[in-house]
Amino acid sequence: MSPANGRKTTTAMPDQAEIEPVSRRAEARPTGSDSLDPLRFPLCGSRLIEASAGTGKTFTIATLYVRLVLGHGGPQDTPDGTPAPAPDTAPRAFTPPEILVVTFTDAATRELRDRIRARLAEAATVFRAEPEGIAARPPGEDPLHDLRADYAPERWPACARKLQLAAEWMDEAAVATIHGWCNRMLREHAFDSDSHFTQTLETDQSELLAEVVRDYWRTFMIPLDAESVAEVRQWWSGPEALQGSIRGLVEHADRLDPAAEPAVALEAVRTEKADRLAALKTPWATWADELQALFDDAVANKRVKGRLLRRDRYTKWLNDLRDW
């Protein structure tokens, strides 16, 4: 998350567990020395937050967003006497169109926008409270209570107004997917980026995959010899069937081992199959003679029923086996 002009703050939140994450509920937040305090997290320069799934990334982003809207952390917000930030790094209040929040999917974008809007409205309600009616709470129990405590009571109405306007302004907020934001930047800065003024964002890649599969089929399948074509047709009747088989593998393509071209692979398989079959056949020439002797002895000595095992029948079977 960063101001949309890219000059103030950059906060990234990948799914990696390196530091103690922030919980969705303030009372469940970790208290270790390496835990993240979203109210004291610097909003200047480039910052990185690493957290695993389900540890409250959206909660933290919404809290940081509220602070950016308020300009929290400036010289006026240091009642404990800590040194004020330098003028060129001191945070200022930002509006939703100036704050860029980027995520991965359209569904996550909608959820994040709604969560931030709700958090802004909740914070506005907190700042509208009358100072006389606020009960004391221990630090860390409620982030919004702690945030409000950083401001003098006479400033609360102005903060509430600022937060409410930001909540109503969220329809124009810069909350987008990575590809959506890149598409917007290329469209708005087409002249500077030397790109087309009219561009189409392709989010459905099924037709692109179909085109790639058809091109692969023309390049590698059509030139195959008749024997190889017959084998391939046992698996796939055409490019559409091949696309259906690989659809679930596309996202894992980087984990698959390199493979030879179909013509080379099929020839290698046929050679291996022939070698194994030859090895399987080799002893049967001797075994057939041994079986012939066993059957002849069993019939001659009447150890079997003659109507079930006749000489003409098993002789034909063994001759077929020898021919194979």
Side-chain angles (χ1 to χ4, degrees):
M1 180 176 69
S2 64
N5 58 17
R7 296 179 180 176
K8 284 290 180 181
T9 305
T10 301
T11 303
M13 304 189 71
D15 289 334
Q16 300 176 14
E18 293 291 340
I19 63 173
E20 193 70 16
V22 177
S23 174
R24 293 182 183 277
R25 294 179 174 83
E27 60 269 17
R29 287 184 302 179
T31 58
S33 59
D34 58 349
S35 63
L36 173 67
D37 183 355
L39 296 185
R40 299 294 173 256
F41 190 79
L43 297 181
C44 303
S46 297
R47 310 292 175 180
L48 174 66
I49 302 174
E50 297 183 347
S52 56
T55 54
K57 294 186 293 297
T58 303
F59 174 88
T60 301
I61 289 175
T63 302
L64 296 178
Y65 202 102
V66 169
R67 291 183 58 203
L68 285 170
V69 168
L70 291 175
H72 179 260
Q76 71 278 14
D77 305 324
T78 55
D80 56 354
T82 56
D88 57 339
T89 60
R92 66 172 179 85
F94 289 93
T95 60
E98 295 179 300
I99 305 172
L100 171 60
V101 182
V102 181
T103 184
F104 294 98
T105 65
D106 292 327
T109 298
R110 290 189 292 271
E111 179 188 3
L112 190 56
R113 187 188 299 271
D114 292 341
R115 293 281 294 276
I116 292 175
R117 179 189 284 112
R119 193 64 170 167
L120 288 169
E122 181 184 3
T125 301
V126 168
F127 273 90
R128 290 194 191 100
E130 294 295 335
E132 297 79 10
I134 297 175
R137 292 190 180 184
E141 180 180 325
D142 183 358
L144 294 182
H145 182 278
D146 296 342
L147 179 63
R148 181 180 55 193
D150 286 344
Y151 292 87
E154 58 269 18
R155 296 183 57 198
W156 291 0
C159 291
R161 176 63 175 167
K162 191 179 298 184
L163 291 166
Q164 185 61 42
L165 288 176
E168 297 171 358
W169 208 345
M170 280 302 295
D171 288 336
E172 300 181 28
V175 182
T177 59
I178 297 173
H179 54 273
W181 177 256
C182 292
N183 181 64
R184 174 179 169 181
M185 289 297 97
L186 289 174
R187 185 177 64 251
E188 294 182 358
H189 303 280
F191 187 81
D192 295 332
S193 60
D194 195 22
S195 60
H196 296 289
F197 284 89
T198 301
Q199 301 189 49
T200 302
L201 177 62
E202 295 289 348
T203 56
D204 183 3
Q205 298 185 358
S206 58
E207 181 53 37
L208 178 61
L209 177 60
E211 182 179 350
V212 171
V213 172
R214 289 193 295 268
D215 184 64
Y216 179 89
W217 191 274
R218 286 192 299 267
T219 303
F220 295 105
M221 299 301 192
I222 291 181
L224 294 176
D225 57 78
E227 185 179 4
S228 297
V229 169
E231 292 188 39
V232 170
R233 296 279 291 183
Q234 296 178 16
W235 306 322
W236 306 296
S237 58
E240 293 78 11
L242 174 59
Q243 180 179 353
S245 297
I246 68 172
R247 183 175 290 113
L249 296 174
V250 172
E251 59 181 301
H252 306 293
D254 57 332
R255 299 189 177 187
L256 301 178
D257 295 331
E261 296 180 5
V264 177
L266 288 170
E267 179 63 28
V269 169
R270 281 198 297 267
T271 300
E272 182 181 1
K273 181 179 178 181
D275 293 341
R276 291 190 178 186
L277 188 58
L280 179 65
K281 291 180 178 181
T282 298
W284 274 103
T286 303
W287 293 347
D289 294 338
E290 294 175 355
L291 285 173
Q292 181 82 48
L294 288 173
F295 290 161
D296 288 344
D297 180 69
V299 171
N301 292 287
K302 297 183 179 181
R303 297 193 185 97
V304 296
K305 292 183 180 180
R307 63 187 180 85
L308 296 179
L309 186 63
R310 300 198 325 238
R311 184 185 301 274
D312 58 335
R313 288 184 178 178
Y314 69 73
T315 299
K316 182 181 182 303
W317 298 339
L318 294 174
N319 286 335
D320 289 342
L321 185 58
R322 291 185 183 96
D323 294 337
W324 173 73

